Amino acid sequence: GAGTIICTLGENENIPGVPVLEDSARATINALSPLKSKNNPSIKPRLIMLSSATMNPRFAAARPALLHWMIRTAFDKPYNDLIKAQEMLLSMQELLFVTLIQPNALVEEKSTGCVVSTEFAHMACSYEDLAEGFVHACTSASLQNLPCIGVSSARAENVMLYAPFVLSKVFRGLAFQFIPGYWQTEYWITARLQNWRNSPKRD
């Protein structure tokens, strides 16, 4: 009986073997398919799904071509998972209507005001502003039938505030992509440091 399904799954790291979105898309389709035969076939739930501005040609066109290639490559693994999931869900128009929420870089900071648009997405979006964007997508009549919505933080209109953060994430993702064993080594070192910090201190 649900009219709206919200999916906020995703992977932030450029590591292989994490098909969380593809698995979730398959589970969603498998769950809806038998319900479709039992319920009114004219009623379709709406899936509001976390996507990425990188997957929107209009939004991505605002970037320099080299920067777009760097971002796309630095997060190649999660983007490929996202592409497969979107293709699966968008091909099932008889089961559901999909709205893609498409921010750029997600950052952990306080809300500075949620900006929603079908024309652009600023460089960054806080998780709080992202959550507000999902609420707008669910409740605003003007956003009900849109296939994709850009969501940003108002503060991110100033590109330079987030450029160091974004570039550091991009270069790290490129290292994961092109340097064999880099991500395994970084994860191993991080785990050892975490264990050392959490170990009981001896007098």
Side-chain angles (χ1 to χ4, degrees), residues 62-102:
R63 306 170 180 167
L66 176 60
L67 178 60
H68 178 72
W69 176 86
M70 290 171 66
I71 291 172
R72 176 64 182 84
T73 305
F75 303 99
D76 180 67
K77 305 297 189 302
Y79 280 153
N80 287 342
D81 183 36
L82 175 60
I83 289 170
K84 291 176 183 176
Q86 289 184 179
E87 288 176 347
M88 291 170 64
L89 293 165
L90 292 171
S91 70
M92 304 301 291
Q93 296 183 18
E94 71 278 10
L95 291 180
L96 74 171
F97 177 78
V98 179
T99 293
L100 302 175
I101 303 296
Q102 298 183 313

Side-chain angles (χ1 to χ4, degrees), residues 105-125:
L106 295 176
V107 297
E108 294 187 16
E109 65 178 21
K110 294 295 184 181
S111 170
T112 60
C114 175
V115 178
V116 297
S117 174
T118 59
E119 302 296 324
F120 65 88
H122 293 323
M123 178 176 280
C125 183

Side-chain angles (χ1 to χ4, degrees), residues 18 31 46 113-114 120 128 148 155 178 188:
V18 189
R46 182 182 181 214
C114 175
F120 65 88
E128 290 186 15
C148 53
R155 184 172 182 260
F178 292 116
W188 185 87

Side-chain angles (χ1 to χ4, degrees), residues 173-187:
L174 290 172
F176 278 33
Q177 183 75 2
F178 292 116
I179 302 176
Y182 180 91
W183 74 268
Q184 294 97 327
T185 302
E186 181 186 301
Y187 274 37

